[in-house]
Amino acid sequence: MTKTNRKPPGERTVMGFDFGTKSIGIAIGQELTGSASSLKAVKAQDGIPNWEHIALQVNEWQPDLMVVGLPLNMDGTPQEVTFKAKKFANRLHNHYGIPVHTQDERLTTADAKARLFASGGYKNLGKGNVDNMSAVIILESFFASSYGE
């Protein structure tokens, strides 16, 4: 799928990904409102997702842009999974021809767990829920950094 009539910055639908080697959280957001909602996490084997499951989400939501969380050490240096996340971002771009950005995702998992716990206690802390909420936070952080909020 290649999109030809792209929307201008500020009006785009953006799909966010929390990359993991076993599970990849997905969220969808709108630049206009700066808000995001979680979609369904996709299982992965050593960071390789079932591309058909990703394609279902991409085809349904028709994003104009994709954002992949970039896992970094607290001092900003890369770690082993950083390179796998970049490879995933490149593969997304190659599969769909949609621009892909990366976004620093330090502390998103802790933030995601805190938000989920606050809204539903321990029962809300399943792996897929955490990955999806992390994807939401990655998108919100991308929107905030893009518009200087």
Side-chain angles (χ1 to χ4, degrees):
M1 176 192 107
T2 304
K3 293 192 93 168
T4 50
N5 4 336
R6 300 215 185 276
K7 295 177 189 162
E11 299 177 16
R12 298 175 293 191
T13 298
V14 184
M15 187 169 276
F17 296 89
D18 176 45
F19 176 82
T21 56
K22 295 181 181 172
S23 176
I24 298 170
I26 306 174
I28 195 73
Q30 298 294 325
E31 282 182 316
L32 196 57
T33 61
S35 62
S37 303
S38 66
L39 299 176
K40 188 173 182 184
V42 172
K43 291 196 183 308
Q45 280 194 314
D46 196 29
I48 300 168
N50 179 327
W51 285 104
E52 290 176 18
H53 291 161
I54 301 238
L56 289 172
Q57 300 290 346
V58 171
N59 291 333
E60 179 177 348
W61 292 97
Q62 300 285 310
D64 301 292
L65 176 68
M66 295 180 178
V67 176
V68 175
L70 199 58
L72 298 167
N73 291 315
M74 288 310 294
D75 65 0
T77 58
Q79 47 185 293
E80 184 181 334
V81 74
T82 306
F83 302 104
K84 290 181 179 186
K86 285 182 178 181
K87 188 174 185 178
F88 172 72
N90 288 335
R91 286 184 172 163
L92 276 174
H93 177 70
N94 291 338
H95 270 85
Y96 305 107
I98 297 170
V100 179
H101 291 272
T102 55
Q103 178 69 28
D104 182 349
E105 68 163 33
R106 284 177 282 182
L107 298 178
T108 55
T109 301
D111 191 5
K113 287 180 179 176
R115 285 192 195 187
L116 289 166
F117 184 81
S119 70
Y122 287 108
K123 70 178 184 341
N124 242 9
L125 296 179
K127 180 73 174 131
N129 287 350
V130 172
D131 293 336
N132 286 340
M133 181 57 74
S134 292
V136 166
I137 294 166
I138 288 164
L139 274 186
E140 290 173 349
S141 134
F142 173 77
F143 294 147
S145 67
S146 296
Y147 300 103
E149 292 174 16

